[in-house]
Every structure is written in C-alpha cells, then in structure tokens.
Amino acid sequence: MKIINLIGEEKRNEFDGLDYIREDNKNLLVKKDNKLVFTKCNLSLVQMKIILVCLGFIFKDDISFKPLRLPAKKFLNIIGVGKENSNYLNKEFKAILSKPIETIEEDCWTIYSWFTKASCKKGIVEISLNPELDPLLLNLRKNFTAYPVNHIIQMNSKYNIRLYEIFTSVLGGNLNFRWRVGIDEFKKLLSIENKKFKEINQMILNKINMTGTDLEIEEIGLIKQSKKVVKLVFNIVRKQSKIRSDVKKILFDAKNKRFAISDNLIKRYQEEYKEINIYEEIKKMENWAVRKSDYKNLTQKDWTEFIGEWLKRKAYGGYFEDFYS
C-alpha cells in the first residue's frame, strides 16, 4: 500500500443457562445498522473487542436480546487478554458504560448505552445488551454492515478495527471502491479531532493493516488545497477467495436454465460456506438470474463474482436482493 498526492478531487436452542456458551469465536458474526458504524467512537482497543464479541453472540434469527453468560476466563481469552481476571472486566465495562453511543439524523440526536447490565458471579460473566438497540442490531435487512469477529479480533490497533468496519460498510457488495472522505469527517469518525495531519499520517495511515481480513487498501490518496490536506481517498479492494481466483468463468446454460458449474466446484463452495446449503442457494441464484437478466446478459455474463457475493451475503446473514435488486 502506498500513500500518494492526488490532483483535484443460524438457528439455536432456547437459551438455557450455560448452553449459550460457544467453544470458540470462529463463527461469531457482527451485524449492525450503518448508523452504529458511522457514529463517533472513542473506545479503547479492548473495549471495542468486548462490544464486538458481545454483538457476535447475537444470532440472525433472534427477535430480542438474551443475556450472554460465559466464563470470565473464556471471555478474556477471546478478547486477547487471557492473563487478566474478572476485575479487569469490571474496570472495562465501567469505562464502556461511561462512553455512550450517539446517533444523529438531520435534526434528531439519540444517546444510547451499549449495556443495561454486566456482572460476574463465581467466575461467570453475564452481559445484557440494551434493548433500545434492538432496531439497530436485530432483523436487519438493509443499510447494515456484517463481518466475522475473527477478522478484527487479532488486530492490535483500535484504528484498524474502526477503519475495517467503515471500509466494509462503504464497500458494500462491490469488489472495489474509492472512498472519499473529508479530513475533518475522518477525524470525527476516529475521535482524533485534536490531531494534526502529520500525526494522523504517522499513527494511522502508515499503520493501516488489513491482514487476516477480506480487504486490502491498495492506495491512499491525499487531496490538498494550498498545501493543506483536505480530503483522503482510500482505494479499497475485496480479496478474492481461493475458489474465485481459481475459477476462470461460470456461464449460464440457457437451454437447461442453470449455471454451468461442476459438482466438484459446488463441493468446494460447500467447504468454504459450511453453514448454508449450496445446492439450494445455487437454485435460488439461477431463478434470480432468469428473472432479472435479458437473454444476452444471461448467457454471456461471467457469473463467478455474482455467485461468490451471493454466498457471502447469505453466510453473513444478509439478503442478496437488498444489495443487487
């Protein structure tokens, strides 16, 4: 990645005590309304991870929040501070409760707390999310951002977590996107209003690291006015899965009304997206393609990226037509 100057511009059983504990965080998925993505955030690295892990334990078919209960040691291990104890969590939850969320829409502002309660008894942490956040976290079909917790849990910079979340949101269903953001808005999103550009460049821009995620930042452009940086331009690219990089082209067989896709390739998709039925989703895609495409586009288009993005959206709890209708 280089920085350059630019000229111009799953279903589950009912919660039953500790049955709600998962053995690992590999399948946890964060899914939140974009209002929460673009709200001002002044949390520490650990506080961000605490919140995102809690959000990851929300299931896509939940209609209300249920208390999250799990061993304190397990929770500490997931967020990467396994050497600490429950007193450490006590301090961090207090800090989170002192930093409310504020959403602003036109002439309306609303302030929320992330949690209504956090407690620890006999080594078991119990966490209750604020039910006022229901509309921003549950049953989301449009204007949301979703990503696996394991994409951010290994990060050691709170700015990289924030930027990954924002990059994921602005990229949407695209494979690449140039995100232009004013320097003042950028500072606000990262709660660094008092930082000068030289500091931002050293502590954030030069240290952007999306390793372990599905994104890459190929280039950062600087737009200047009178030698002063006024806008940043991020060239965001979604990494292709190994399957998509290996597959040359998938065409549509109009005669049989199906994709010309081998059983072997379907099996590879099934290995990548274990939680969904690939054969069922392929059939849905074929029906969608017939409804939405004219004959020329249907038969001549390379459907490889379409299939990959559909499956990814399905795996992340999204609804494909909300993005591609």
Side-chain angles (χ1 to χ4, degrees):
M1 180 189 70
K2 59 182 178 179
I3 301 176
I4 63 171
N5 291 320
L6 297 180
I7 299 175
E9 202 153 359
E10 108 208 67
K11 291 189 177 181
R12 61 174 169 82
N13 295 326
E14 284 298 308
F15 171 72
D16 180 19
L18 299 185
D19 289 345
Y20 198 27
I21 298 173
R22 288 189 178 183
E23 291 303 317
D24 56 55
N25 63 303
K26 291 181 180 179
N27 296 318
L28 300 185
L29 182 76
V30 174
K31 186 176 179 183
K32 59 167 76 171
D33 190 287
N34 286 337
K35 293 175 188 175
L36 293 179
V37 174
F38 290 95
T39 189
K40 185 177 178 180
C41 178
N42 191 27
L43 298 163
S44 72
L45 175 65
V46 169
Q47 290 158 15
M48 284 185 186
K49 290 183 178 182
I50 286 173
I51 291 170
L52 294 175
V53 167
C54 290
L55 299 188
F57 278 99
I58 299 173
F59 288 74
K60 62 184 178 183
D61 57 340
D62 280 347
I63 58 174
S64 63
F65 298 135
K66 292 179 172 63
L68 169 62
R69 298 177 65 202
L70 68 168
K73 194 64 179 176
K74 183 69 178 179
F75 193 76
L76 289 163
N77 283 332
I78 292 175
I79 63 175
V81 288
K83 294 182 180 180
E84 302 293 344
N85 56 35
S86 62
N87 291 331
Y88 179 87
L89 287 177
N90 178 291
K91 180 186 70 173
E92 294 299 336
F93 274 107
K94 284 179 180 177
I96 292 171
L97 290 172
S98 72
K99 300 175 182 179
I101 319 155
E102 181 180 9
T103 61
I104 300 175
E105 291 183 275
E106 297 179 355
D107 59 347
C108 174
W109 56 262
T110 308
I111 297 174
Y112 304 91
S113 174
W114 281 106
F115 306 107
T116 56
K117 186 183 78 170
S119 63
C120 185
K121 183 178 181 180
K122 296 182 179 180
I124 301 298
V125 174
E126 181 171 318
I127 305 161
S128 298
L129 284 162
N130 183 358
E132 293 290 334
L133 293 173
D134 279 14
L136 300 175
L137 294 171
L138 298 177
N139 195 31
L140 302 176
R141 295 199 58 150
K142 290 187 176 182
N143 302 318
F144 68 84
T145 298
Y147 56 87
V149 170
N150 64 6
H151 280 186
I152 58 89
I153 206 67
Q154 86 288 348
M155 290 183 175
N156 57 14
S157 164
K158 66 178 184 178
Y159 301 117
N160 279 334
I161 291 179
R162 279 293 288 147
L163 289 173
Y164 171 74
E165 191 170 71
I166 293 168
F167 292 156
T168 298
S169 183
V170 298
L171 183 61
N174 301 303
L175 292 177
N176 56 74
F177 186 77
R178 289 174 69 84
W179 180 49
R180 292 172 169 81
V181 58
I183 191 67
D184 290 337
E185 178 65 15
F186 184 79
K187 289 181 179 181
K188 182 179 177 182
L189 287 171
L190 272 64
S191 296
I192 51 171
E193 290 92 337
N194 62 335
K195 301 293 183 183
K196 295 182 179 180
F197 178 75
K198 183 178 180 180
E199 296 175 276
I200 295 172
N201 193 35
Q202 291 175 343
M203 65 186 285
I204 300 175
L205 299 183
N206 278 313
K207 295 184 179 179
I208 290 178
N209 186 350
M210 296 291 115
T211 301
T213 76
D214 56 339
L215 303 183
E216 289 180 324
I217 307 304
E218 287 192 337
E219 187 177 86
I220 302 174
L222 310 178
I223 296 178
K224 297 181 179 180
Q225 288 181 0
S226 302
K227 297 184 179 181
K228 180 181 179 181
V229 175
V230 295
K231 189 174 290 187
L232 303 174
V233 183
F234 295 88
N235 190 19
I236 309 165
V237 177
R238 191 184 305 283
K239 299 173 187 174
Q240 288 189 328
S241 72
K242 189 176 188 304
I243 292 177
R244 278 185 272 176
S245 60
D246 287 348
V247 176
K248 292 182 179 179
K249 186 179 287 189
I250 297 176
L251 297 176
F252 193 90
D253 181 348
K255 181 179 179 180
N256 295 308
K257 295 184 178 180
R258 64 185 299 272
F259 291 120
I261 181 170
S262 67
D263 287 339
N264 182 56
L265 182 54
I266 291 177
K267 288 178 181 178
R268 291 181 65 189
Y269 278 125
Q270 191 66 72
E271 290 174 1
E272 184 168 355
Y273 302 104
K274 294 181 175 64
E275 65 274 34
I276 59 180
N277 186 319
I278 298 299
Y279 285 98
E280 182 179 300
E281 293 305 317
I282 291 289
K283 190 63 180 176
K284 289 180 183 178
M285 283 184 255
E286 290 167 346
N287 292 335
W288 189 95
V290 170
R291 290 199 320 270
K292 297 289 185 176
S293 305
D294 57 41
Y295 183 82
K296 182 178 179 180
N297 187 50
L298 181 66
T299 56
Q300 296 183 14
K301 177 179 177 177
D302 179 2
W303 292 91
T304 309
E305 298 300 341
F306 172 91
I307 292 171
E309 286 304 311
W310 179 298
L311 295 176
K312 181 176 180 180
R313 286 291 173 188
K314 180 67 177 180
Y316 282 15
Y319 296 83
F320 188 83
E321 292 199 11
D322 292 336
F323 299 89
Y324 294 89
S325 58

